[in-house]
Amino acid sequence: MQLPKGFKLEELSAEQVRTLRDLARQVRGDVLKMIHLVGEGHPAGCLSCAEILVTLYAAANVRPSDPDEPKRDRIVLSPPHLTAALYATLGRFDFVDRDDAVSLFAKAGSVFEEAPNRAVPGVEWTGGVPGAGLAAACGFALAGRLSGAKNQVFVVVSDGEQQRGIVAEARRFAKRQRLNQITAVMDANGVMATGKAAEAYLQSIKYEYIADGWDVIEVNGHDPDDIYRAIRRAIQIQSAPVLVVARTTSGHGVSFMENDPRYHEIRLTDEEYREAMRELRQDPSLDEEEDYRSAFGEFDLNLEEEPEDHPVPAVPLTHRDYPAGTEVSGQTALAGVLADVLEAEEAEESGAPMALFEGKVVVGGADAANLPRPRDRFFEVRGQDAAVGVALGAFSLAGGVPVWLARGPDALEGAFHSLRLNDLNRTHVKLFAAALGVEGGRRGRAGLCLDYVSLVENLPRCRMVFPADANQMDRVARVALIEPGNWVVGVWRTPTAVVTDVDGRPLFGGEYRFEYGRIDLVRPGDSGVILTTGPLVLEAIAAWEALRERGMGPAVLHVPCPGALVDSEDPVLLQNLRKGRVITYEDHTVRTGLGARVADVIATRGISCRLLKLGVEGEGMAGDPGEVRRRLGLDASALVARAAKFLKR
């Protein structure tokens, strides 16, 4: 059934209401078939939300003939336990083949996963984290506003996920950024896996949204006309985002399931299944679906699909060069690149729009005045890291280029599950992370981010780079902004010297071009090698000079992309590893960072050598970064002492 798109009707006719209710009944039958085939699932919630989903897909500006139309409305499903109902609805509206959706649900390798999968036409966001859907809706809404689109963003939420912190972050983000085209429709059935929601959580959901500046409308969640008119009213409200609280009954349509928490997550017995299908006036037979599921065989699972088109800003090819003898922070270099991009966008009026999201003083202090703050494209998002991470992923899928300026402990550790969702969704977020290693130590040990390499390594499609100086930061930032995918770039706040070659020329200036995965030869040598990353390159150079005075000549290599080491065929790296003595030097936890990656290369390539890993042992130490490195034995003098002893063996 298709209604006039965009909720144009003032109300539904009696015939339209009957048709939508019949569609909801059919969706319920499809859901029970899907769950019975698989042997597990969440039947009660899927039955309670059916009218919400069929009303949305019938009247929202989305069409099965062109599900990727750029100006379409966006419908996001937040609670993953309602996925079967989503797929069943898409099957009934011809976004997908209904037989595929029912018979192949949760089959290994199928696109019809048990959480929403963006590979399915009509699904906007690959989910799996309860509560994250509202944050994704924020990203879609923000991108629509910046592009001038008039589309609406609808997100189906549940009452059971409202206690999650990411929901509170997202609703406040939506209000602060004036994302008034968001309508959240809540399946408020009052039942959770652990029992009645009112008994499990002391919450007043309605008034929490009101307190955060939202409008709230309450409706009968099983009356399509009530739902329709509430959503139409929400669209007309221009002053705030709107929550539609749809009061529903868990297990609606099957008498013995209604309001019984036991059916939140369970497979019905065969007898219960037949009785439920009888009440829904549906054929309980599964013979055709089982045959189809079996005959389909195994899927050719391909996790390396061709990359999608990605937004590219207007990035000038001309680099900024910082001369030898100057000291420049990574923040200053980054601010220069962002200013160049924004200037080019304004002059050329081309490229995807870039927006800056400032988390926690990445470009601050003396550099604050240099940070571009374009009107309507600079957003302070402090203290909302989990929601912001997801929102920026959705923002990139809608055609924007999100640049996230955040502290490593907040974005990489505090919002890791959001970054993982972005990885699954193949988004294009450019995260510039400060306070990596011991640099965040002034905030106490809890402010240290000592496992940044290993964290990013758990995101298969994310690339991480830690530049050595301002010149390399300039080149890295420009590449990260135009290349597809999610990037994490390490940023440092303390002004540091420009790295030079043995002749005193800037090593990363002039004609130098950054290539992801390439190893930088910083100093030549023939008696072993020191591998390091980021601003510790300067400490390694100081140690190299002291070791030369002692008659020792190890090479110094900079590894800006530790995650690319395992598959590296870089001849500079492999030649130097075969020199017999290998030292890794980092302010990362010594067990999982650069040293661990180098050990992998040595072991898998069968290279015969000895390895000394220098890094942070244990939980690190709070304090001034320079003093902390000295106390932890990670400054240049300590490196000299330990390297000299190791190289003499």
Side-chain angles (χ1 to χ4, degrees):
M1 175 189 183
Q2 298 293 339
L3 298 174
K5 292 302 182 180
F7 292 86
K8 303 294 186 184
L9 302 175
E10 290 189 8
E11 60 182 17
L12 301 180
S13 67
E15 181 180 355
Q16 289 168 331
V17 171
R18 284 194 298 271
T19 301
L20 288 175
R21 284 185 173 174
D22 191 57
L23 273 172
R25 179 183 60 83
Q26 295 173 39
V27 164
R28 291 185 173 98
D30 291 344
V31 163
L32 293 184
K33 283 193 171 188
M34 295 158 83
I35 293 174
H36 215 63
L37 278 169
V38 174
E40 62 180 21
H42 299 78
C46 288
L47 268 57
S48 70
C49 72
E51 282 85 2
I52 296 171
L53 288 171
V54 298
T55 303
L56 273 173
Y57 278 93
N61 187 24
V62 292
R63 293 174 173 81
S65 60
D66 190 6
D68 297 323
E69 198 278 322
K71 295 183 180 180
R72 69 189 181 277
D73 291 341
R74 306 272 182 162
I75 302 176
V76 178
L77 178 71
S78 182
H81 69 278
L82 303 183
T83 303
L86 172 63
Y87 292 158
T89 301
L90 293 172
R92 291 293 175 177
F93 281 94
D94 296 324
F95 283 85
V96 298
D97 184 280
R98 177 196 164 273
D99 291 336
D100 286 351
V102 173
S103 302
L104 303 179
F105 177 63
K107 182 177 175 63
S110 166
V111 295
F112 298 101
E113 298 176 355
E114 287 191 72
N117 182 5
R118 198 165 63 87
V120 176
V123 178
E124 298 286 358
W125 181 255
T126 297
V129 176
L134 185 56
C138 289
F140 288 126
L142 187 60
R145 191 181 80 197
L146 296 187
S147 67
K150 302 296 184 182
N151 61 328
Q152 298 295 313
V153 179
F154 305 105
V155 53
V156 177
V157 300
S158 71
D159 51 357
E161 64 184 351
Q162 295 304 304
Q163 74 277 2
R164 291 178 174 262
I166 192 172
V167 176
E169 291 182 13
R171 68 173 180 253
R172 293 164 190 161
F173 180 91
K175 177 60 180 179
R176 183 178 183 186
Q177 308 304 339
R178 309 184 311 282
L179 303 179
N180 301 334
Q181 71 271 51
I182 292 179
T183 299
V185 185
M186 181 186 298
D187 175 32
N189 62 32
V191 175
M192 304 174 60
T194 54
K196 297 298 179 68
E199 298 171 358
Y201 299 103
L202 297 176
Q203 264 188 303
S204 179
I205 297 172
K206 171 183 175 180
Y207 292 104
E208 287 181 357
Y209 275 81
I210 291 173
D212 285 331
W214 287 55
D215 277 7
V216 176
I217 303 172
E218 297 187 74
V219 299
N220 178 352
H222 296 305
D223 183 343
D225 187 49
D226 218 9
I227 297 168
Y228 181 93
R229 285 186 288 109
I231 295 174
R232 175 179 165 81
R233 172 61 183 145
I235 293 171
Q236 293 171 342
I237 294 174
Q238 300 294 313
S239 58
V242 179
L243 171 69
V244 175
V245 179
R247 301 293 181 187
T248 61
T249 300
S250 174
H252 182 77
V254 178
S255 59
F256 64 85
M257 293 177 61
E258 291 187 351
N259 284 322
D260 190 336
R262 291 179 300 168
Y263 294 100
H264 177 83
E265 183 177 3
I266 195 173
R267 180 186 188 270
L268 303 183
T269 66
D270 290 345
E271 182 179 348
E272 288 175 326
Y273 169 72
R274 287 191 294 271
E275 173 59 20
M277 295 296 278
R278 185 191 67 77
E279 291 191 24
L280 292 171
R281 306 192 310 279
Q282 299 280 289
D283 179 7
S285 173
L286 292 172
D287 292 342
E288 291 184 7
E289 289 81 4
E290 289 174 340
D291 289 345
Y292 188 94
R293 189 178 181 90
S294 175
F296 206 91
E298 293 187 357
F299 285 89
D300 182 15
L301 185 60
N302 179 17
L303 298 179
E304 300 299 330
E305 296 95 336
E306 289 295 317
E308 301 178 7
D309 292 338
H310 65 283
V312 180
V315 179
L317 299 178
T318 302
H319 299 283
R320 294 191 180 201
D321 276 316
Y322 299 93
T326 58
E327 294 188 348
V328 186
S329 71
Q331 293 178 335
T332 298
L334 174 59
V337 173
L338 298 178
D340 289 348
V341 174
L342 292 169
E343 182 179 351
E345 283 187 2
E346 185 176 350
E348 300 176 16
E349 296 184 351
S350 63
M354 183 179 71
L356 310 183
F357 299 83
E358 206 275 332
K360 288 201 175 178
V361 198
V362 173
V363 182
D367 296 308
N370 298 325
L371 177 63
R373 288 176 167 80
R375 184 179 179 183
D376 293 332
R377 282 200 281 158
F378 177 83
F379 307 94
E380 288 189 358
V381 291
R382 302 179 186 182
Q384 300 172 327
D385 305 297
V388 168
V390 171
L392 300 196
F395 180 87
S396 74
L397 295 180
V401 180
V403 176
W404 190 13
L405 313 170
R407 296 179 69 252
D410 302 310
L412 294 180
E413 296 178 334
F416 179 78
H417 66 298
S418 298
L419 301 184
R420 185 169 181 273
L421 280 175
N422 285 346
D423 200 66
L424 292 171
N425 278 278
R426 290 172 168 78
T427 63
H428 310 282
V429 177
K430 317 305 178 181
L431 168 58
F432 291 88
L436 301 181
V438 302
E439 194 177 55
R442 290 188 179 90
R443 294 173 177 255
R445 284 171 294 169
L448 296 173
C449 184
L450 301 176
D451 53 355
Y452 49 90
V453 172
S454 59
L455 283 170
V456 177
E457 278 296 278
N458 284 298
L459 306 172
R461 300 176 188 89
C462 186
R463 293 180 170 186
M464 179 171 190
V465 189
F466 209 165
D469 71 353
N471 281 319
Q472 194 170 40
M473 170 63 81
D474 182 277
R475 275 74 173 168
V476 168
R478 294 174 196 270
V479 170
L481 289 173
I482 62 176
E483 287 291 315
N486 301 309
W487 287 67
V488 177
V489 179
V491 183
W492 63 101
R493 297 184 62 182
T494 304
T496 56
V498 168
V499 175
T500 59
D501 60 20
V502 291
D503 297 319
R505 297 186 297 264
L507 184 63
F508 302 112
E511 298 302 315
Y512 168 80
R513 294 293 181 269
F514 169 75
E515 296 177 14
Y516 180 77
R518 191 174 78 179
I519 310 298
D520 305 316
L521 176 62
V522 179
R523 291 292 185 270
D526 53 15
S527 59
V529 60
I530 300 172
L531 296 99
T532 189
T533 188
L536 284 185
V537 167
L538 292 167
E539 299 277 1
I541 290 174
W544 178 85
E545 292 171 349
L547 290 168
R548 295 274 290 186
E549 292 178 359
R550 298 188 183 193
M552 301 176 185
V556 175
L557 300 185
H558 176 225
V559 185
C561 314
L565 272 179
V566 175
D567 299 319
S568 177
E569 298 292 339
D570 193 306
V572 174
L573 171 68
L574 299 179
Q575 290 168 11
N576 278 278
L577 291 181
R578 292 188 172 94
K579 291 180 178 178
R581 294 288 187 271
V582 178
I583 302 170
T584 58
Y585 172 54
E586 57 189 317
D587 65 352
H588 188 283
T589 182
V590 74
R591 297 176 182 272
T592 58
L594 174 62
R597 272 65 191 166
V598 171
D600 278 350
V601 175
I602 291 171
T604 56
R605 303 301 176 92
I607 296 173
S608 178
C609 66
R610 298 194 65 174
L611 174 63
L612 173 64
K613 296 191 295 181
L614 302 179
V616 179
E617 302 279 358
E619 62 191 16
M621 180 182 295
D624 174 78
E627 178 65 11
V628 168
R629 288 194 185 102
R630 185 186 69 80
R631 293 283 301 277
L632 295 179
L634 293 175
D635 62 353
S637 61
L639 175 58
V640 170
R642 298 187 69 177
K645 184 177 179 180
F646 178 72
L647 295 172
K648 282 182 178 180
R649 292 178 182 175

